[in-house]
Amino acid sequence: MNYNINNTSVRLLISCHDQPGIVSAVSTFLHQYKANIVQSDQYSTDPSGGMFFMRVEFEMLDPDFDITMIRTAFTEIGLSFEMDWRMELASRKKKMAIFVSKEDHCLLELLWRWRAGEIDVDIPLVISNHPDLKEQVESYGIPFFHIPVTKATKQQAEQEAIQKLHEHNIDFIVLARYMQILSPDFVGTFPKRIINIHHSFLPAFIGANPYAKAFERGVKLIGATAHYVTDDLDEGPIIEQDVLRVNHRYTTEQLRVAGRNVERIALARAVTWHINDQIIVHGNKTVVF
């Protein structure tokens, strides 16, 4: 990720059954359309009948190239190898929505990195089920929408949120400690486009009060897990995990403070990788290049 991105930079992500000729076909295609490969990564679960994953970054030598035409032309190769693939302009800024409740540490980490230029996205809105963080969000010049959620109004609240996300053409959503379980309808509207941060090293300590449970067990490591959201609570494809060493002297509150630091780092990494098109989801796993 250390080359200069410009308007001719393109990313191609591929997954398919491993078979001879894939790399050759892709390279020949890119040469035919006057593209220069600047980075290529690949991985096979098993060269004999396994799954093959590939990520290619390339520069189009013709500054007036048509990405739609390139995508259409690549369709033939995609069909011949039965690929699941996508081709993205690296210069197109993704639009990220943030959902948050009352805790601000993950939200502020993302906003700080965004303002510092470390996370290259547009953030058209932040949605919360509480009004507490309105002033902090708006200090960054980002619209804040308070959509209360109760058991009786949950469906209506989700529909209101979906409408706002569509109005702003959101590409993906980050749950920055949003303390609500999303319905299957909501998750199905944005498949593989909702990133959550879980306050433990999954699959350990699922559910509420993880730091109290960790304290009771006398853990020596605490962690956080960033993952894509699916209908199975906290069981979606894991993007990133991180841990921090602790000891018997840590109180529950000290564990919570340390855990927040890990949560911020793991979530920021996952968001960055998603923005850079470094992640391929396969089943309930991810390949991160």
Side-chain angles (χ1 to χ4, degrees):
M1 307 308 130
N2 51 8
Y3 75 97
N4 292 326
I5 293 175
N6 55 52
N7 291 332
T8 62
S9 303
V10 183
R11 299 165 180 152
L12 173 63
L13 285 80
I14 295 169
S15 61
C16 63
H17 288 288
D18 202 348
Q19 54 198 293
I22 300 172
V23 175
S24 175
V26 172
S27 300
T28 300
F29 173 87
L30 294 178
H31 175 71
Q32 177 184 351
Y33 283 89
K34 299 180 179 179
N36 179 42
I37 296 175
V38 296
Q39 185 169 342
S40 180
D41 297 282
Q42 61 194 67
Y43 167 68
S44 176
T45 61
D46 186 342
S48 301
M51 286 297 297
F52 178 83
F53 304 93
M54 186 176 188
R55 180 184 185 275
V56 183
E57 298 189 25
F58 56 92
E59 300 282 354
M60 299 300 300
L61 301 182
D62 179 3
D64 298 320
F65 78 100
D66 183 346
I67 186 65
T68 302
M69 184 273 289
I70 301 297
R71 287 192 184 114
T72 301
F74 190 80
T75 300
E76 183 177 347
I77 292 178
L79 291 173
S80 65
F81 288 96
E82 298 183 343
M83 294 176 176
D84 182 6
W85 64 276
R86 59 188 176 93
M87 190 179 292
E88 304 285 350
L89 277 174
S91 61
R92 186 185 78 84
K93 280 192 177 183
K94 293 179 175 62
K95 294 184 177 182
M96 176 178 79
I98 302 176
F99 280 43
V100 67
S101 290
K102 291 185 177 182
E103 294 194 54
D104 63 0
H105 56 289
C106 288
L107 167 72
L108 295 181
E109 180 74 16
L110 294 176
L111 295 183
W112 183 88
R113 289 177 183 249
W114 168 75
R115 187 166 62 183
E118 295 181 14
I119 295 180
D120 190 23
V121 292
D122 288 330
I123 308 178
L125 76 166
V126 170
I127 291 176
S128 179
N129 56 326
H130 296 281
D132 303 51
L133 300 176
K134 177 180 174 66
E135 184 176 340
Q136 292 189 68
V137 171
E138 291 183 343
S139 72
Y140 283 82
I142 299 172
F144 178 93
F145 293 95
H146 174 216
I147 303 180
V149 181
T150 66
K151 187 174 182 180
T153 65
K154 184 177 181 65
Q155 184 177 3
Q156 179 183 347
E158 284 195 342
Q159 288 304 311
E160 182 180 348
I162 289 173
Q163 181 179 347
K164 291 191 180 299
L165 295 172
H166 286 326
E167 287 174 357
H168 290 85
N169 297 313
I170 293 300
D171 290 296
F172 71 107
I173 302 160
V174 178
L175 307 182
R177 302 293 280 125
Y178 182 64
M179 307 308 291
Q180 289 289 321
I181 297 175
L182 300 176
S183 71
D185 287 341
F186 190 102
V187 174
T189 305
F190 304 95
K192 303 177 186 176
R193 292 191 289 153
I194 307 174
I195 299 173
N196 182 47
I197 184 66
H198 190 276
H199 45 211
S200 71
F201 194 77
L202 291 174
F205 304 121
I206 293 175
N209 300 317
Y211 298 113
K213 294 176 182 177
F215 176 78
E216 291 170 3
R217 292 293 304 276
V219 300
K220 300 300 182 277
L221 292 172
I222 59 171
T225 302
H227 64 94
Y228 286 114
V229 175
T230 63
D231 291 342
D232 297 318
L233 181 63
D234 294 331
E235 295 186 13
I238 292 173
I239 305 170
E240 171 64 337
Q241 294 181 293
D242 204 351
V243 294
L244 181 68
R245 184 166 292 281
V246 296
N247 59 46
H248 61 279
R249 298 182 186 277
Y250 277 66
T251 64
T252 300
E253 181 56 31
Q254 288 173 325
L255 289 177
R256 184 175 289 109
V257 171
R260 288 171 181 162
N261 291 330
V262 183
E263 290 170 23
R264 295 202 308 260
I265 293 170
L267 180 60
R269 284 182 189 149
V271 170
T272 299
W273 295 341
H274 182 92
I275 292 167
N276 291 337
D277 303 304
Q278 292 176 247
I279 306 169
I280 298 178
V281 178
H282 176 63
N284 205 44
K285 294 183 179 181
T286 62
V287 175
V288 182
F289 286 114

